[in-house]
Amino acid sequence: MHKDVQEVLVSEEMILKKCKELGKQITEDYSKKGENPLLVALLKGSIPFLSDLMKEIDIDNLKFDVMAVSSYDGAKSLGDIKINLDLAYSLKGVSVLLVEDIVDTGVTLAAVKNMLYNKGAKDVKIVTLLDKPGGRKSDVYAEYIGFSIKNEFVIGYGLDYNQSYRNLPYVGVLKKSLYE
Ligand code: IMP
């Protein structure tokens, strides 16, 4: 275990098993509707999850795209986001499955969901590896959730603290002494 990690919350083995379960469910749900979702991952934290999850989705011509957003500095409205990297695909009539690492306040995701509908998406659903229901400040929810966790700051498997720890293969709680 990394010296800065207080506790491993979700092991690599648990994550890969969950990706199989979520992938199977997503495959079934979209196949039933005869839809081919466009996976949209929010950079950078969602990359490891996108990579493992997409291998478990058995749908022909499955495509993915990425986008990067950030909050405006000093924004008055919490949901005010800036697009740093936009999608390459047109979303007209497309079913989007947003791939997220973690939903905390849900404010970013609510704004992104809204924006994707404004770009013409037919449907926007969310799959998140982690959910922190205790942190919620918007009414956004994910249709597919890997693990529901306590309101603690976690790192690893894409999640960072000051851009570090993204390469850890598990999700762990960061020692509080490092940021308090
Ligand atoms: P929110 O749901 O709009 O509050 O923001 C979600 C984003 O905040 C995630 O995509 C992460 O980048 C970041 N985030 C929220 N909680 C954590 C955490 O515990 N560790 C690392 N990043 C986090």
Side-chain angles (χ1 to χ4, degrees):
M1 189 167 83
H2 191 287
K3 65 174 175 39
D4 297 347
V5 172
Q6 182 184 300
E7 175 197 356
V8 173
L9 218 51
V10 194
S11 70
E12 185 175 15
E13 195 188 351
M14 287 163 76
I15 294 172
L16 295 178
K17 185 163 173 265
K18 188 61 80 176
C19 284
K20 279 194 197 304
E21 289 168 16
L22 289 171
K24 188 164 178 272
Q25 191 63 53
I26 289 165
T27 303
E28 278 173 21
D29 291 353
Y30 282 89
S31 299
K32 235 182 259 167
K33 291 187 287 181
E35 282 178 7
N36 182 353
L38 171 69
L39 304 181
V40 172
L42 295 180
L43 295 179
K44 302 171 185 170
S46 307
I47 291 301
F49 183 43
L50 169 73
S51 164
D52 286 331
L53 178 68
M54 68 190 289
K55 288 181 263 183
E56 305 297 340
I57 303 177
D58 186 14
I59 294 176
D60 278 350
N61 295 318
L62 187 76
K63 294 185 173 66
F64 78 85
D65 207 345
V66 292
M67 72 185 305
V69 300
S70 59
S71 304
Y72 280 105
D73 285 340
K76 286 201 184 74
S77 151
L78 266 173
D80 223 0
I81 52 164
K82 185 168 80 174
I83 302 174
N84 298 324
L85 176 72
D86 210 347
L87 299 169
Y89 290 108
S90 156
L91 292 187
K92 290 250 153 35
V94 170
S95 292
V96 172
L97 182 58
L98 258 175
V99 180
E100 252 294 45
D101 48 2
I102 187 165
V103 184
D104 182 11
T105 65
V107 169
T108 317
L109 217 46
V112 169
K113 198 171 171 179
N114 214 12
M115 190 181 66
L116 297 177
Y117 275 120
N118 287 338
K119 281 173 174 280
K122 174 169 89 173
D123 180 50
V124 181
K125 291 196 166 33
I126 298 167
V127 54
T128 186
L129 177 71
L130 304 168
D131 187 28
K132 275 202 243 181
R136 204 67 95 253
K137 287 184 186 153
S138 79
D139 61 1
V140 78
Y141 70 94
E143 281 77 7
Y144 303 96
I145 296 169
F147 302 93
S148 209
I149 63 168
K150 295 182 281 186
N151 215 351
E152 281 179 311
F153 195 80
V154 291
I155 48 159
Y157 196 69
L159 290 156
D160 75 304
Y161 176 62
N162 286 341
Q163 299 299 325
S164 291
Y165 311 108
R166 293 193 196 272
N167 57 324
L168 300 182
Y170 51 82
V171 174
V173 179
L174 183 65
K175 284 185 181 163
K176 286 203 171 58
S177 57
L178 291 161
Y179 61 90
E180 271 185 358

